Amino acid sequence: MESTNPDRPIAIEIENCRDILRVYSDGSISRSARPGFNVPVSDDGSVHHKDLLFDPSHDLRLRLYLPQSDGQKKLPIFYYFHGGGFCIGSRDWPNFHNYCLQLASALPAVVVAPDYRLAPEHRLPAALDDAFASLEWLGTAAAEEEMGEVADFGRVFVSGDSAGGSIAHHLAVRVAGGGGRGRGVFGPARIRAFVLLMPFFGGETHSVSEAECPVDAFLNLQLNDRYWRLSLPLGATRDHPYSNPFGPESPSLEPLELAPMLVVVGGRDLLRDRDADYARKLKGLGKEAELVEFEGMQHGFFTINPGSAQAEELMRVLRRFIAKHAG
C-alpha cells in the first residue's frame, strides 16, 4: 500500500493472515473478497440451502441447510461455526459450504451455519456475542415454516471448527451459567450437547505440539499467535479467558452444569496437546467430555479434504455422538 501524499509515511504491512487480511502500520486494514480456499463447490442438489438474516443490528446472516426428508421423522439441528482464527472466514467460503452440505446429508441434520463479526475490526467478545445471538434466533425460527416441518427443536447440537470450536466452548459456558431460559433452552429449542472440532485455544506458555509444529503446517505457530494478537482485547495476553479456558485468569468451570462435550483433535495438529488437555481437565472436574483423536491428521483435515477416509470416520463419530445424546 503506497501513500498518495509525499509528506505522509508509507504504510507498511505488519500482519498478514493467508493473504486474506492485511494490517498496516498506519492502522488501516484491507480484506480480500476472494475466499481463502478456492475449491469447487460440490452440490448435488439433495440439500436445499438459503441465507437468512439473524441479527439486523450487525447485518449478520446464517446459512440454513435443509436435506431432503420423507417427513416421517424430524431431524436434529446441528450448528456449525466456521474457523479462521476469529479473523477470517465466512459461511460463503466453499470449503465450509461443502462441509455443511455434507453434514446435512450424511448426519442427516438441519444445519445452521452463522457468520460472526471478525477481528481486528471487531475484537473478542464480538464473535461470542454474535454466536449467542444466533442461538437466540433459533428460539424464533420455529415460525419459519419450512424449517419447522423438518427440524426437531428438542435435539440441538452446537459445533464449531477451530475458532468455531472455541466459540462452542464459550457458548456451553454461557448456557450453563444461565444463558437461555433454563440452561440451553431457547424458546422451543433445547441444546443437548456440544462438539468442538480442533478448538482454537491458546496460552502464554506454548505446549509441546505448538513449540514443535513445523513451519509448513497448515496452522503453524506464527499464524496461531498472529490470530490471537489480532482477536484478543487490546492489551490482553493469550492467558485471557477468551483464549485459555484453564488459564490463571479464567473462572473455574467446576460449578457449572456443562452439557456433554465431544472434543476432536488431530495427531499432527499444532493444537493437539492443548485440546487434549482441555478434554482431560473437563473429565477431571466430573464433566462428560469425550476425546477422539485422528492420528496423523493436521488442522482442519475434514474441511480441506471432506471425502477422505478420516473425514468419513469423523462423520460416523458425529452420528454416534448425536444418537447417544438425542434424549
Side-chain angles (χ1 to χ4, degrees), residues 7-309:
D7 298 323
R8 181 181 177 184
I10 295 175
I12 300 170
E13 181 182 290
I14 57 174
E15 302 280 15
N16 184 316
C17 298
R18 300 196 188 280
D19 293 333
I20 300 298
L21 167 67
R22 290 180 169 88
V23 181
Y24 296 92
S25 56
D26 64 354
S28 62
I29 295 168
S30 69
R31 286 186 178 274
S32 171
R34 68 176 179 84
F37 301 89
N38 195 18
V39 297
V41 171
S42 180
D43 186 353
D44 63 7
S46 64
V47 176
H48 174 61
H49 54 86
K50 60 181 179 180
D51 291 343
L52 298 171
L53 182 71
F54 75 89
D55 185 351
S57 64
H58 296 115
D59 194 31
L60 289 171
R61 288 167 169 77
L62 55 79
R63 185 160 292 174
L64 181 65
Y65 296 82
L66 299 163
Q68 291 179 351
S69 172
D70 59 12
Q72 298 299 310
K73 186 177 180 181
K74 291 192 174 184
L75 301 174
I77 297 171
F78 193 86
Y79 265 71
Y80 173 81
F81 292 99
H82 68 75
F86 296 110
C87 295
I88 59 176
S90 165
R91 74 190 189 287
D92 288 324
W93 280 18
N95 57 316
F96 297 136
H97 180 55
N98 284 341
Y99 193 58
C100 287
L101 288 168
Q102 188 179 51
L103 286 167
S105 62
L107 287 178
V110 173
V111 174
V112 181
D115 271 344
Y116 48 86
R117 286 172 291 168
L118 300 174
E121 300 95 325
H122 306 283
R123 291 175 177 265
L124 293 169
L128 311 181
D129 294 339
D130 297 341
F132 191 79
S134 77
L135 295 182
E136 293 181 314
W137 167 86
L138 191 61
T140 65
E144 174 74 31
E145 183 177 346
E146 190 174 8
M147 185 176 182
E149 290 176 352
V150 299
D152 182 351
F153 284 79
R155 294 188 294 151
V156 180
F157 295 82
V158 177
S159 84
D161 159 21
S162 192
S166 178
I167 287 174
H169 158 80
H170 287 287
L171 290 176
V173 170
R174 189 178 296 194
V175 165
R181 290 176 295 179
R183 287 197 178 89
V185 177
F186 296 82
R190 180 180 176 187
I191 298 174
R192 296 287 183 173
F194 291 81
V195 177
L196 282 60
L197 303 168
M198 299 181 161
F200 182 52
F201 295 136
E204 278 299 286
T205 301
H206 288 131
S207 68
V208 173
S209 62
E210 289 170 343
E212 296 181 352
C213 181
V215 175
D216 61 354
F218 175 72
L219 176 65
N220 60 35
L221 187 59
Q222 291 76 18
L223 184 58
N224 175 84
D225 290 355
R226 184 176 303 133
Y227 283 145
W228 286 124
R229 282 197 301 275
L230 294 173
S231 63
L232 286 169
L234 290 172
T237 72
R238 293 190 302 273
D239 277 335
H240 191 283
Y242 293 151
S243 53
N244 190 348
F246 289 100
E249 305 172 34
S250 300
S252 173
L253 301 180
E254 187 171 9
L256 299 179
E257 295 181 20
L258 293 170
M261 301 267 202
L262 171 65
V263 182
V264 174
V265 303
R268 293 181 61 204
D269 183 17
L270 168 146
L271 298 171
R272 186 263 169 211
D273 290 354
R274 193 173 296 280
D275 291 350
D277 184 60
Y278 166 84
R280 284 193 294 267
K281 285 180 177 176
L282 284 181
K283 292 180 73 172
L285 293 176
K287 313 304 179 186
E288 187 173 350
E290 179 181 351
L291 175 66
V292 176
E293 179 169 349
F294 286 81
E295 294 205 9
M297 291 296 100
Q298 285 206 36
H299 194 74
F301 69 91
F302 42 89
T303 60
I304 296 171
N305 187 5
S308 67

